[in-house]
Amino acid sequence: MERSTNGVHLRNGDGSGKLRGYSAWSLLQHGLTSSEWPRTWHDHDLRNSYDVVIIGGGVHGLATAYYLATNHGIRNVAVLEQAYIGSGGSGRNTAILRSNYLTPEGVRFYDRSVKLYEHLAADLNFNVMFSQRGHLTLAHNDSSLRTMRWRTEVNKLQGVDSDVIGPDKVKELVPYMDTSPYTRYPILGALYHPPGGIVRHDAVVWGYARGADAHGVHIHQKTEVTGIDVERGTVTGVRTNRGPISAPVVVNATAGWSTLISDMAGVEMPVQTFPLQAAVTEPVKPFLDTVVVSGTLHVYVSQTDRGELVFGASVDPFASYSIRGSLEFTEGVAGHVLELMPPLSKMRLLRQWAGLCDMTPDYSPIMGPTDVEGFYVDVGWGTYGFKAGPVSGEAMAACIADGRPPEIISAFGIDRFTEGRLVGEKGAAAVGH
Ligand code: PYC
């Protein structure tokens, strides 16, 4: 058994890398004294070669590393992150999980992610605070209702729990909601998806990082990739601000920068990047135990375990790499939330932020091998990336280990854009884009 300097058992010494929990005594000891907590993941010297280099230290990159090590025994893996882990889309989302998509391929894929999230705290021995509180997508017009019915049928055929409900049931679930017929956009019904909910996004990142580290993965923060080496159509390694690394497999698991990284390998991506803004209020007593989305009003709302309301909108209407907040967003989101729940007028916004969304033409991701041998992509997540972290990690790890995409991502290959096999997922967007 390995011990940290202060004696807290970190992992078994049997090579399994299995994480051990803290005892009540060690929690008390660390809580009441100034003794140092053990590092959750460790710094390592950069090796000059790895079996797999993953670019991007968000939930996708870390989960891929974790499942490479745990499911396939591939442990000589480096995750390279240009800033700190979770500093990109994984720390800049609204932490909503759901699987009520529109296409069978999408529903199956995101449902596997929800299933992995359901067991993630136990698998990682790290509390990721997944609260399956139910998810409501409101319909304010006939065409939205029609899409909700369509989604419900596809969901049910894939064994996913979702149903169209009327305004009375919406009121029962969210008493603060104005379901009267006198609003600008009266609520005609909603797609209700009980397994949906929210999770603590930082905990998911840290949990995967801890798990991957315990299984021998090297996590390198502040390590920026400046070039990708390709010889005769095969990737041979990457160049970084800390030196070159040779590797037969390189994975682009970035968001916001996915086209720039793929360009380094000479692989063009049909992706455009847009900012998406979100905001959080001061904390109040718990009163909203469902996630509420209105595509027509371009807004979604949930309440965190700390009591804050998290608001998000659709992506900004222009392509950009800027993550500055705008007053236009704040005014819009506040006005739309008040149309849905007028009693919230006294709440104060605490802060706002933005993330970058890599949009593909069909709103589905691009996953799997590319024309450059050994260069894999897990990109193009649009506004769906965080919820797909676990399944993407599992599937990308299988893809790398087996040398071919597993069934669950076979529809998401880059060749679909040249072969005309798009997987149109725009109708499942939380809000209109
Ligand atoms: O698709 O559920 C969603 C979502 C929430 C925030 C952005 N996208």
Side-chain angles (χ1 to χ4, degrees):
M1 183 164 318
E2 186 176 313
R3 279 170 181 272
S4 73
T5 46
N6 56 15
V8 174
H9 299 159
L10 292 179
R11 345 176 181 158
N12 283 339
D14 59 5
S16 70
K18 196 164 173 254
L19 291 166
R20 313 212 71 207
Y22 297 113
S23 65
W25 166 243
S26 72
L27 282 174
L28 201 64
Q29 181 195 3
H30 287 286
L32 296 179
T33 70
S34 57
S35 65
E36 260 186 37
W37 286 93
R39 293 292 304 263
T40 304
W41 57 89
H42 299 88
D43 291 330
H44 298 277
D45 290 337
L46 197 69
R47 288 186 190 147
N48 57 17
S49 105
Y50 287 95
D51 293 339
V52 180
V53 164
I54 299 170
I55 309 171
V59 61
H60 284 248
L62 292 164
T64 301
Y66 174 77
Y67 292 116
L68 275 171
T70 55
N71 289 354
H72 305 283
I74 300 173
R75 295 162 193 251
N76 185 23
V77 175
V79 177
L80 309 183
E81 167 53 51
Q82 65 168 344
Y84 56 90
I85 63 167
S87 55
S90 295
R92 297 179 163 275
N93 58 82
T94 46
I96 295 171
L97 306 185
R98 64 185 176 94
S99 59
N100 56 354
Y101 279 71
L102 180 64
T103 65
E105 296 88 344
V107 176
R108 273 198 294 273
F109 178 76
Y110 290 96
D111 187 45
R112 174 69 187 154
S113 215
V114 168
K115 296 265 162 34
L116 287 167
Y117 267 121
E118 283 171 351
H119 296 282
L120 201 58
D123 289 347
L124 298 176
N125 188 19
F126 201 88
N127 187 1
V128 296
M129 297 165 72
F130 182 16
S131 163
Q132 280 185 291
R133 52 184 54 196
H135 182 285
L136 275 178
T137 315
L138 303 174
H140 304 268
N141 53 48
D142 289 342
S143 75
S144 306
L145 256 188
R146 180 181 164 275
T147 309
M148 304 300 164
R149 293 210 178 93
W150 177 2
R151 280 167 69 179
T152 301
E153 294 310 318
V154 178
N155 290 182
K156 285 180 178 159
L157 276 172
Q158 298 300 324
V160 166
D161 187 3
S162 74
D163 220 339
V164 174
I165 59 172
D168 292 352
K169 177 82 177 155
V170 172
K171 185 78 181 170
E172 219 175 89
L173 289 164
V174 189
Y176 278 75
M177 186 90 75
D178 187 349
T179 53
S180 72
Y182 309 111
T183 58
R184 186 164 65 119
Y185 293 112
I187 294 168
L188 305 185
L191 180 65
Y192 180 43
H193 176 51
I198 53 171
V199 72
R200 179 87 181 99
H201 52 50
D202 296 323
V204 175
V205 170
W206 298 333
Y208 272 123
R210 187 175 88 131
D213 177 272
H215 286 87
V217 168
H218 284 191
I219 297 168
H220 295 293
Q221 303 185 94
K222 294 194 196 143
T223 306
E224 187 179 343
V225 171
T226 54
I228 297 178
D229 294 322
V230 177
E231 282 170 27
R232 286 190 289 279
T234 299
V235 81
T236 57
V238 299
R239 274 163 281 137
T240 79
N241 59 340
R242 293 171 59 199
I245 305 171
S246 69
V249 172
V250 173
V251 184
N252 178 1
T254 60
W257 292 266
S258 67
T259 45
L260 306 180
I261 295 290
S262 285
D263 276 354
M264 292 178 186
V267 174
E268 234 177 275
M269 291 281 144
V271 165
Q272 268 196 308
T273 301
F274 292 79
L276 187 151
Q277 299 188 50
V280 68
T281 67
E282 62 189 345
V284 292
K285 272 206 304 206
F287 73 95
L288 180 65
D289 58 2
T290 315
V291 180
V292 176
V293 178
S294 166
T296 304
L297 290 172
H298 298 274
V299 72
Y300 32 93
V301 189
S302 66
Q303 187 169 25
T304 70
D305 297 311
R306 282 197 296 240
E308 305 142 333
L309 292 186
V310 178
F311 303 145
S314 39
V315 293
D316 286 351
F318 42 83
S320 166
Y321 291 110
S322 161
I323 49 172
R324 291 172 63 118
S326 70
L327 183 60
E328 193 185 2
F329 158 79
T330 320
E331 285 180 340
V333 91
H336 293 151
V337 167
L338 291 185
E339 282 189 75
L340 292 176
M341 292 186 248
L344 302 193
S345 62
K346 295 219 162 37
M347 292 203 60
R348 285 175 295 195
L349 281 185
L350 269 191
R351 63 191 167 86
Q352 68 190 86
W353 67 93
L356 294 177
C357 300
D358 287 340
M359 312 301 295
T360 62
D362 60 359
Y363 294 72
S364 288
I366 308 175
M367 301 180 76
T370 64
D371 283 345
V372 173
E373 182 77 30
F375 182 64
Y376 292 78
V377 291
D378 170 20
V379 301
W381 286 100
T383 59
Y384 301 149
F386 190 78
K387 52 183 91 358
V391 67
S392 302
E394 184 184 58
M396 288 304 295
C399 184
I400 293 160
D402 301 342
R404 68 191 140 78
E407 221 286 304
I408 196 156
I409 59 166
S410 57
F412 300 140
I414 190 167
D415 45 8
R416 75 179 186 275
F417 297 105
T418 43
E419 292 172 3
R421 291 181 289 102
L422 301 193
V423 188
E425 211 49 275
K426 184 170 183 181
V431 287
H433 296 310

